[in-house]
Amino acid sequence: MLEPGHTDILRLTLGRELTRAGGIDANPAAVAAAAIRRHEELTACLTPILGRGGVAAMVTRSIHVAQREFLWLQQTRACEPDQPALERLRWSLEQQPAPIASEGAAAVLASFGSLLTMFIGPGLAERLLREAWPDIVLSDSPAEKKSL
């Protein structure tokens, strides 16, 4: 099950993946694109359950939670207010150096996983996250590491 302590593992795993996505050139646009892809995978999986409005609210809340650690994410509010949250997030990520963008994006994605766990419980949250991200390690259990 996706327990609250596993958020750190999820964040670390996503951070590494997003850093790799930035490539040798440390391209923040590539990091932003990879982060948005991961959000879109979640959106596709969760929209039938939560609805578009529910997913959008969770994305907005995840960004808000991550702003506590990454103050530059507050720039998402400076964008056009009628722009979707993911587009505002993309813009903010692209303004940062790639390593910083990777860390911030991973924090937003992990916050999303944590919020999902709080709302629907760890068992169902883990199942849905695994469906959306079958290639991402969600815990440090030996069984999961072997399955990848």
Side-chain angles (χ1 to χ4, degrees):
M1 285 200 307
L2 183 64
E3 300 296 332
H6 293 157
T7 302
D8 293 337
I9 295 165
L10 178 60
R11 182 174 168 173
L12 183 64
T13 303
L14 288 164
R16 274 187 256 157
E17 176 194 328
L18 295 171
T19 297
R20 276 193 305 272
I24 296 169
D25 300 334
N27 183 341
V31 170
I36 298 305
R37 263 192 314 278
R38 285 300 184 179
H39 273 288
E40 289 169 346
E41 292 164 352
L42 275 176
T43 298
C45 183
L46 295 174
T47 297
I49 298 163
L50 302 176
R52 284 181 194 245
V55 173
M58 291 209 29
V59 169
T60 300
R61 181 65 185 155
S62 298
I63 294 168
H64 180 76
V65 168
Q67 285 174 1
R68 295 178 192 148
E69 184 176 352
F70 298 93
L71 297 177
W72 53 265
L73 281 169
Q74 293 176 4
Q75 295 174 353
T76 59
R77 288 188 251 156
C79 297
E80 294 295 323
D82 56 340
Q83 249 186 339
L86 285 181
E87 287 307 309
R88 295 191 317 259
L89 176 61
R90 178 192 307 267
W91 181 85
S92 286
L93 293 171
E94 289 174 346
Q95 307 311 304
Q96 302 303 313
I100 303 298
S102 296
E103 290 179 34
V108 172
L109 288 161
S111 293
F112 192 105
S114 180
L115 289 170
L116 186 64
T117 299
M118 284 191 290
F119 290 141
I120 64 174
L124 183 55
E126 180 177 358
R127 195 173 91 214
L128 292 169
L129 288 172
R130 285 186 193 285
E131 184 178 322
W133 299 334
D135 58 326
I136 295 292
V137 175
L138 299 177
S139 72
D140 57 357
S141 74
E144 180 170 3
K145 289 179 181 175
K146 284 182 187 173
S147 70
L148 294 176

